[in-house]
Amino acid sequence: MIKKTVAALLAFFALTCWAAVDVNTATAADLDSIKGIGPGTSGKMLEERKASPFKNWADLVQRVPGIGDKRASKLSAEGLTVNGEAYKPGSTASTAEKKPAKASK
């Protein structure tokens, strides 16, 4: 019985340690706690958030310099969310709005 109780407590503790950090509600310290985000990136995120909250990952990628699809995927894997949503590859505007190549004459 004690082994099961200890195991349950350890499992609960492990789940509470890995909590998602939402970019729209996080402090600078919260953002800095995400592996891959330093003071420069967190500052850019907070500055952009002052203008208006991020709508989704596509909005974040578009407005924050230095964040692209690959980095967004890594940050999401480390626990960063936008409005509680994890990054989904191909969900950003940059991949959806590729311009067609010009035809040669």
Side-chain angles (χ1 to χ4, degrees), residues 24-92:
N24 285 322
T25 58
T27 64
D30 292 336
L31 292 171
D32 288 342
S33 72
I34 300 289
K35 184 179 176 184
I37 297 179
T41 303
S42 64
K44 291 175 191 176
M45 289 176 169
L46 293 174
E47 195 63 34
E48 282 297 323
R49 188 176 76 188
K50 283 181 188 176
S52 66
F54 296 104
K55 298 172 192 156
N56 51 36
W57 277 97
D59 189 30
L60 177 85
V61 168
Q62 181 181 12
R63 290 171 44 194
V64 180
I67 305 239
D69 292 334
K70 187 174 181 181
R71 188 163 180 210
S73 180
K74 288 180 182 179
L75 295 176
S76 181
E78 292 296 328
L80 188 67
T81 64
V82 178
N83 294 324
E85 296 290 322
Y87 176 77
K88 295 173 187 72
S91 66
T92 60

